[in-house]
Amino acid sequence: MLISIVVCVYNGEKYLKECLLSIANQSYQNFEVIIYNDGSTDNSEKIIFENKKLFSNFQYHKGQNGGLAHARNSAFSFAKGDYFAVIDQDDICLPTRLSDQIKVVTNSKNKAKFIFGNSKTLKNNKISNETFFDNYNFISKNKSGKICKNKARSILLKTCFVDSETWFMHREVYDLIGPLNKELKYLCDFDYFFRISSKFDFYFTKQVVSYWRIHDNQQTSINSAAYTEPIFWVINNFKFNKNILLYLLMGLKSFYAYLRIKIKK
């Protein structure tokens, strides 16, 4: 089973090498690395070229800056793997990340098409004791490792329980769901998970598979658009269902909470 590990890069020179080293150290080695440089103006490209020797199966592509959704779509379009694994430029894959998520596929008898996992935060080189799943009792109590699509969709309307740094999906998902919405700068991942929930059940591993790095550069990207985008997302998706529309508009604080912790660039 070939895995396409997708890394989208935009001015990521500070942490990019650490990310690439974590990929190289995977216990499961049947993978390709696809790096899409979304118009970086720093030394990211130099770091990529210096470290490409770590990988036997490597693709590098670059283009003008088009945002995270554009970069993800571009990287996915070059992928040759059976499954796609997403990790961002400043985050860390634990050594057994791929093997842990492949185990979910195997245990499901290949039924699992969309898989996520547990994670911890990394700030000032300190790893949190708390895990991402500690915030979600319904996952901690779930022994099956599966959330049916209708339930996943319902929960996503209240909170985003999928950490992007643990995103692992079969190419069939991308072929059916299509590209990420390039009009969304802040909610593109969340919107994609929501769209996936219309077609696929969600599977997960309780193993910590990634570290999500918190650093100052993430906060500088927050502006007024970050707070208006959720409103437009709700209206566009539920304008024909007034009951759900009013419910979500009254509960937008969950979207804002998501933005505070998930903005990547």
Side-chain angles (χ1 to χ4, degrees):
M1 182 188 299
L2 178 65
I3 310 299
S4 296
I5 301 179
V6 171
V7 186
C8 295
V9 176
Y10 177 70
N11 291 346
E13 63 181 2
K14 189 171 183 179
Y15 303 111
L16 180 55
K17 182 176 181 178
E18 193 174 352
C19 173
L20 296 178
L21 287 172
S22 78
I23 296 171
N25 288 331
Q26 288 299 295
S27 59
Y28 183 89
Q29 285 286 308
N30 188 19
F31 64 81
E32 64 173 358
V33 176
I34 300 171
I35 298 180
Y36 186 84
N37 183 349
D38 192 34
S40 296
T41 56
D42 64 356
N43 289 319
S44 291
E45 186 170 66
K46 179 182 177 182
I47 294 168
I48 292 167
F49 287 150
E50 287 175 349
N51 289 276
K52 69 177 183 178
K53 62 181 180 291
L54 295 170
F55 310 106
S56 60
N57 195 345
F58 176 87
Q59 294 186 50
Y60 174 66
H61 305 276
K62 65 177 180 179
Q64 294 183 343
N65 181 251
L68 181 58
H70 162 77
R72 292 220 198 283
N73 290 335
S74 298
F76 288 154
S77 71
F78 294 113
K80 299 176 182 177
D82 304 292
Y83 279 82
F84 305 164
V86 173
I87 190 72
D88 287 325
Q89 63 188 18
D90 44 6
D91 299 321
I92 301 294
C93 286
L94 271 65
T96 60
R97 179 201 169 160
L98 295 184
S99 59
D100 285 337
Q101 294 188 291
I102 290 171
K103 189 180 297 183
V104 175
V105 176
T106 303
N107 291 342
S108 73
K109 297 181 180 179
N110 296 321
K111 291 181 180 179
K113 304 298 183 183
F114 179 76
I115 301 116
F116 62 102
N118 207 352
S119 64
K120 289 187 175 184
T121 58
L122 177 62
K123 185 176 182 180
N124 297 327
N125 292 321
K126 294 182 180 180
I127 302 166
S128 64
N129 292 320
E130 183 183 41
T131 73
F132 187 69
F133 285 179
D134 288 341
N135 299 306
Y136 303 103
N137 288 332
F138 72 92
I139 294 180
S140 300
K141 295 178 180 179
N142 185 318
K143 296 181 180 180
S144 69
K146 175 183 175 182
I147 304 172
C148 293
K149 57 186 179 183
N150 290 337
K151 184 176 181 180
R153 194 170 182 83
S154 176
I155 298 172
L156 283 169
L157 290 176
K158 301 174 184 177
T159 183
C160 185
F161 56 88
V162 180
D163 193 345
S164 298
E165 286 67 48
T166 72
W167 178 355
F168 189 89
M169 69 179 181
H170 195 278
R171 66 163 46 255
E172 177 185 333
V173 177
Y174 186 72
D175 290 342
L176 184 61
I177 302 300
L180 281 73
N181 185 348
K182 293 189 292 184
E183 299 300 316
L184 296 175
K185 180 176 182 180
Y186 300 100
L187 291 179
C188 59
D189 287 355
F190 169 82
D191 173 72
Y192 204 68
F193 302 151
F194 188 74
R195 287 160 58 194
I196 290 172
S197 71
S198 69
K199 301 291 184 182
F200 295 92
D201 295 329
F202 284 30
Y203 289 78
F204 62 88
T205 174
K206 292 182 181 180
Q207 297 295 320
V208 174
V209 298
S210 300
Y211 294 152
W212 177 65
R213 191 187 302 273
I214 299 174
H215 54 87
D216 292 340
N217 288 345
Q218 292 162 337
Q219 300 305 316
T220 60
S221 64
I222 300 177
N223 55 39
S224 60
Y227 295 95
T228 58
E229 190 170 276
I231 297 174
F232 290 114
W233 185 90
V234 169
I235 292 173
N236 287 336
N237 280 276
F238 299 100
K239 57 188 174 184
F240 298 116
N241 191 323
K242 293 183 178 179
N243 290 332
I244 295 180
L245 177 61
L246 290 172
Y247 168 77
L248 290 176
L249 286 174
M250 291 175 65
L252 276 173
K253 63 181 181 180
S254 63
F255 288 94
Y256 296 141
Y258 170 79
L259 285 171
R260 282 197 296 273
I261 66 170
K262 298 309 298 176
I263 286 178
K264 302 301 301 179
K265 51 189 284 193

